[in-house]
Amino acid sequence: ADKEAVKPSEESPYKNDNNIGPQNKVIESAVVTTQTSDEIYVKQLAALFVERFNTYSNRNGNAHIEDALALSAKEMASWLNSQKIRQEGEYKGVTTKVLANNIITLTKEKARVAIGAEETIYQTGIPRTSKFRPGLVDLTKIDSKWKISGFRWEE
């Protein structure tokens, strides 16, 4: 005897899923794009750098600089160290979350990643404020490891 096609019912985990039909057959095909390990890694490293470098307060002993230095090429050290925050006065802190990133260029040795970040500023006696900031992160492969070799906000 032929089996009847199973129809989604109230008990079916597929009842509200537009991509799955009776008998678990895919109704619409999905477009899948694959990224190389370098593409994934440079995007993740760029986001990590921006979040660590631009999340700080005037009470953290400039730990954000040390975090950024660990991810960066040696040529970045002088510039990063010039970005230290004075550890005094009323509390001021910044938290940064990368919301989007996109590879602009990628070769075997160099990459440029565009990022979009939300920066939230906290300051004693002032309401919290947030703004969107676009930026560019440059990366260079040094001894088979990707390192941050440049960064700037695009204001």
Side-chain angles (χ1 to χ4, degrees), residues 74-107:
K74 290 178 183 167
E75 296 77 24
M76 287 280 293
S78 152
W79 181 80
L80 285 167
N81 282 315
S82 76
Q83 304 299 305
K84 289 185 177 177
I85 307 299
R86 295 182 77 124
Q87 302 292 296
E88 60 189 25
E90 295 283 326
Y91 176 81
K92 182 177 180 183
V94 175
T95 301
T96 302
K97 176 71 179 150
V98 171
L99 304 175
N101 57 15
N102 187 40
I103 295 172
I104 303 297
T105 59
L106 177 62
T107 67

Side-chain angles (χ1 to χ4, degrees), residues 30-128:
V31 175
V32 177
T33 58
T34 57
Q35 294 180 325
T36 67
S37 59
D38 273 349
E39 288 172 324
I40 294 166
Y41 190 77
V42 297
K43 287 173 66 174
Q44 289 176 341
L45 185 59
L48 182 63
F49 172 84
V50 171
E51 289 178 356
R52 287 189 178 183
F53 172 68
N54 207 58
T55 296
Y56 60 87
S57 79
N58 61 351
R59 301 281 191 267
N60 76 348
N62 285 300
H64 67 293
I65 300 296
E66 294 305 315
D67 289 345
L69 284 167
L71 303 172
S72 301
K74 290 178 183 167
E75 296 77 24
M76 287 280 293
S78 152
W79 181 80
L80 285 167
N81 282 315
S82 76
Q83 304 299 305
K84 289 185 177 177
I85 307 299
R86 295 182 77 124
Q87 302 292 296
E88 60 189 25
E90 295 283 326
Y91 176 81
K92 182 177 180 183
V94 175
T95 301
T96 302
K97 176 71 179 150
V98 171
L99 304 175
N101 57 15
N102 187 40
I103 295 172
I104 303 297
T105 59
L106 177 62
T107 67
K108 290 182 180 184
E109 301 298 324
K110 298 215 179 261
R112 174 168 278 180
V113 178
I115 59 96
E118 179 183 49
E119 181 181 79
T120 304
I121 301 168
Y122 306 86
Q123 196 166 354
T124 301
I126 299 174
R128 175 179 65 197

